[in-house]
Amino acid sequence: MTIELEEPPLTSDNKQVVKDLFGGTMGGIAQVLVGQPFDTVKVRLQSAPEGTYSGSMDVIKKLIKNEGFAGFYKGTLTPLVGVGACVSVQFSVNEFMKRHFDRKYNGAPLTLGEFFQCGAIAGFANGFLASPIEHIRIRLQTQTGETKLFNGPIDCAKKLYKSNGFTHGIYRGLTPTLIRESIGLGIYFATYEALISRELKKNKDWIRSDIPGWKLCMFGGLSGYTLWIAIYPIDVIKSKLQTDSLTKPNYRGSIDVFRDVFAKSGIKGFYKGFLPTILRAAPANGATFAVFELTMRLLG
């Protein structure tokens, strides 16, 4: 399937890379501010021992009762900085790969498979940054009660390194993160570009910058749905690894998590916390794409 973007050839100068990075950072900040409360509920459902919560509403009620509304934004500093960086990597690498294919085929329209490749490469590159950032965020999000093991993201990073080193401490959960990011972002960006192409074909006199912001937001939301539907079980495995005990871990790796979750809960165990995630997908990813595209338009 060939997707025609009907826009001027992409440039590859350093200025464009800086614009891509800045646009991605703005999109990432929007994603965190919109999506963090949903993510906190998701992580607690995924990582809590069986029977702790009866569902998403139970998490919300207990969180508000015990920690107040500020509890929804626990560990926000790390994702605000980190997700901004992650999304800037995702979008800048994706745009770079689009320019690569554009040069390779002398401006010929990219296929859906090529858009998937662009997103998958962006996801793989992003995984090395996302893994430690998400690990630190999850450790902070799941701290409850008055006694706290970590006093912020820097203290968390130090203690993770001290307990298990770099590979098995800070980078615990890297493998499922790389798989999730590669497959997920390949689907994510390919879906978005397909929706953009469909819109341009419906309005033949339009170019990409003519598409209104609300439609960009809608396309981003739909792309977020396809992303999470495709990779959610992998995210559960990652979260289980990253909330495992630092001193007496229950899991040696992803296979151990898979066996444990399946033995205790079956297939449904891999969809724990899915409701807040899918509810988060539309507003968070809609905001991400809309802010990225509108920022790029402002930058020219």
Side-chain angles (χ1 to χ4, degrees), residues 228-249:
W228 284 107
I229 289 169
I231 54 83
Y232 192 79
I234 304 170
D235 189 65
V236 171
I237 292 171
K238 178 200 73 76
S239 293
K240 285 281 188 182
L241 279 174
Q242 292 182 335
T243 53
D244 199 9
S245 171
L246 295 176
T247 53
K248 295 180 180 179

Side-chain angles (χ1 to χ4, degrees), residues 6 57 119 131 136 146 172 178 196 199 216 231 265 293:
E6 300 180 27
M57 288 306 300
S131 182
I136 292 168
E146 294 183 7
R172 184 166 177 79
L178 290 175
I196 290 288
E199 189 67 20
L216 297 173
I231 54 83
S265 307
E293 293 270 6

Side-chain angles (χ1 to χ4, degrees), residues 13 40 43 48 91 101 126 135 141 157 162 192 211 222 272 279:
D13 56 12
T40 298
V43 168
F91 278 81
F101 279 112
N126 178 60
H135 190 186
Q141 281 178 318
K162 186 177 180 180
Y192 184 76
I211 300 175
L222 291 171
K272 213 172 186 181
L279 290 175

